[in-house]
Amino acid sequence: MVDAALALAETDGLRAVTIARIAALSGCSNGALYHRFGNRESLLKAASARMLSQIETQMHAALDSIGPDLSDLNALRALAAANRAVFEQHAGALRAFMIEGRSIDALAKQGFGASQSVGHDVIAWLTARFDCPRARANAAFRLLFSAGALMLVVADDRHLTNIEVGPDDAVHDLAEILLRLLR
């Protein structure tokens, strides 16, 4: 049921996530959905929680995989690439929950909680790795998050300006900006 809700949100947005469509997609009855979740909002919360948990796991794994032997620039490239990959992988669902779902208090609260959790860990990692003030690490996290969020608003950010920038170039450029900020 939760997988069906996520699939619908990913492809068609939150408006498409109806009890009837989820029941049809998951092969269960409307009654089973209401019995398990009570209402549509509770089901949306469960779907959002699953997606956010996956994102938190991916970002934590990315931080753990960045070895101390990498240069600072390459470490930031790895972090920026992982951030971009998370936003790309979950783009449809993130767009649905972050943009459409912001008017649903429970979803907004979940999203902010997950952002704060990931932010806390990224900021701690940056602070330790670069021996920089938390305020700078916080600014770096906000830039990373903003770069990902931009991808949700502008589906094809390669053409945002009249100079086409590929994903690898964007990751490299962001890593260089972050390095300057953190030093």
Side-chain angles (χ1 to χ4, degrees):
M1 293 179 222
V2 172
D3 289 339
L6 274 172
L8 286 170
E10 178 78 32
T11 58
D12 300 326
L14 287 189
R15 289 185 192 108
V17 183
T18 64
I19 296 296
R21 286 190 73 190
I22 294 166
L25 191 59
S26 66
C28 69
S29 68
N30 289 7
L33 278 161
Y34 282 112
H35 178 73
R36 173 107 190 251
F37 294 101
N39 58 35
R40 178 179 178 267
E41 185 174 314
S42 293
L43 177 58
L44 290 175
K45 280 178 59 178
S48 174
R50 178 171 294 169
M51 176 199 59
L52 293 170
S53 176
Q54 291 170 353
I55 289 170
E56 288 181 61
T57 299
Q58 287 175 275
M59 286 305 295
H60 291 124
L63 289 173
D64 290 342
S65 72
I66 301 172
D69 55 321
L70 287 178
S71 70
D72 288 346
L73 181 58
N74 285 335
L76 289 171
R77 281 183 187 148
L79 179 59
N83 184 71
R84 184 174 183 93
V86 163
F87 276 91
E88 283 177 342
Q89 180 182 349
H90 300 280
L94 280 169
R95 189 176 297 111
F97 287 106
M98 285 177 65
I99 296 171
E100 291 179 66
R102 71 177 178 252
S103 62
I104 302 171
D105 289 340
L107 297 180
K109 184 177 180 181
Q110 272 184 324
F112 283 123
S115 295
Q116 289 172 353
S117 174
V118 170
H120 177 270
D121 293 341
V122 171
I123 290 165
W125 183 86
L126 290 168
T127 302
R129 170 81 189 220
F130 293 93
D131 191 29
C132 66
R134 284 187 57 78
R136 283 193 185 181
N138 181 53
F141 172 73
R142 287 173 177 273
L143 284 173
L144 277 168
F145 187 87
S146 296
L150 175 64
M151 292 170 39
L152 303 179
V153 176
V154 180
D156 187 358
D157 65 345
R158 292 175 300 142
H159 305 289
L160 191 59
T161 65
N162 64 350
I163 301 170
E164 187 172 326
V165 176
D168 291 338
D169 295 326
V171 163
H172 176 77
D173 293 345
L174 180 57
E176 286 190 351
I177 291 166
L178 294 173
L179 185 60
R180 289 182 187 142
L181 173 64
L182 294 165
R183 286 190 172 158

PDB file of all heavy atoms in Angstrom, residues 43 108 169:
ATOM      1  N   LEU A  43      -1.821   7.630   5.393  1.00  0.00           N
ATOM      2  CA  LEU A  43      -1.123   6.859   4.366  1.00  0.00           C
ATOM      3  C   LEU A  43      -0.023   7.700   3.724  1.00  0.00           C
ATOM      4  O   LEU A  43       1.089   7.219   3.500  1.00  0.00           O
ATOM      5  CB  LEU A  43      -2.109   6.368   3.310  1.00  0.00           C
ATOM      6  CG  LEU A  43      -1.509   5.612   2.128  1.00  0.00           C
ATOM      7  CD1 LEU A  43      -0.740   4.388   2.577  1.00  0.00           C
ATOM      8  CD2 LEU A  43      -2.613   5.213   1.165  1.00  0.00           C
ATOM      9  N   ALA A 108       4.783  18.416   6.058  1.00  0.00           N
ATOM     10  CA  ALA A 108       5.798  19.467   6.170  1.00  0.00           C
ATOM     11  C   ALA A 108       6.687  19.211   7.386  1.00  0.00           C
ATOM     12  O   ALA A 108       7.912  19.328   7.300  1.00  0.00           O
ATOM     13  CB  ALA A 108       5.133  20.834   6.265  1.00  0.00           C
ATOM     14  N   ASP A 169      29.644  18.679 -14.419  1.00  0.00           N
ATOM     15  CA  ASP A 169      30.149  20.041 -14.281  1.00  0.00           C
ATOM     16  C   ASP A 169      29.501  20.747 -13.093  1.00  0.00           C
ATOM     17  O   ASP A 169      30.168  21.465 -12.345  1.00  0.00           O
ATOM     18  CB  ASP A 169      29.891  20.857 -15.548  1.00  0.00           C
ATOM     19  CG  ASP A 169      30.660  20.321 -16.751  1.00  0.00           C
ATOM     20  OD1 ASP A 169      31.788  19.828 -16.571  1.00  0.00           O
ATOM     21  OD2 ASP A 169      30.102  20.389 -17.859  1.00  0.00           O
TER      22      ASP A 169
END
